[in-house]
Structures are given as structure tokens and as C-alpha cells.
Amino acid sequence: AELAPDAEHPDRCGTCVACLSSCPVNAIPEPRFVDAGKCLSFHTIEHQDRIPDDVIQGASGRLFGCDLCQ
């Protein structure tokens, strides 16, 4: 079926940068950019290979991501 595209998502971040400092593995190096290669949620839920040591250290015992950026 041919579908019309959704409207562009509004930018709700504004000037807030709370997610940058809350990320335990520094997976958000700048506003509006998440480095999935460092993100706990990516590694513990989606990624199938071994989790890198630096991500494990940042996990602080968490099993399934942290969602602190939310």
C-alpha cells in the first residue's frame, strides 16, 4: 500500500542537556546524538555480540539498559 509519510517529529529538546550528564557510559556526546556503540540499552537488549568492557563498567550492575536519558 502506498502511504503518506508522517509529519516531521517536533524538536522537544530545546536547550536542555540533562541527558548528556546523566548517561553513565557517555553515549550521548552532544545534543541530539546517541552513540549506539556505547549505549547500555543497545548492548543489553538489541546487540548480540559480547558487550565491550568499558560499557560493562559503566553498567554498574544493570542488566537491561538504564534509561537515565529518558
Side-chain angles (χ1 to χ4, degrees), residues 2-26:
E2 196 170 314
L3 302 173
D6 291 343
E8 197 171 309
H9 190 279
D11 180 4
R12 294 193 173 116
C13 288
T15 58
C16 177
V17 291
C19 59
L20 278 68
S21 61
S22 68
C23 184
V25 292
N26 299 314

Side-chain angles (χ1 to χ4, degrees), residues 3-67:
L3 302 173
D6 291 343
E8 197 171 309
H9 190 279
D11 180 4
R12 294 193 173 116
C13 288
T15 58
C16 177
V17 291
C19 59
L20 278 68
S21 61
S22 68
C23 184
V25 292
N26 299 314
I28 308 172
E30 61 187 71
R32 297 169 184 81
F33 178 78
V34 176
D35 181 350
K38 293 182 179 180
C39 180
L40 293 176
S41 292
F42 170 74
H43 282 288
T44 59
I45 298 170
E46 299 175 35
H47 195 242
Q48 299 297 312
D49 293 330
R50 184 181 181 286
I51 299 173
D53 291 335
D54 60 330
V55 175
I56 291 172
Q57 289 175 338
S60 301
R62 294 177 180 92
L63 297 177
F64 294 103
C66 70
D67 294 329

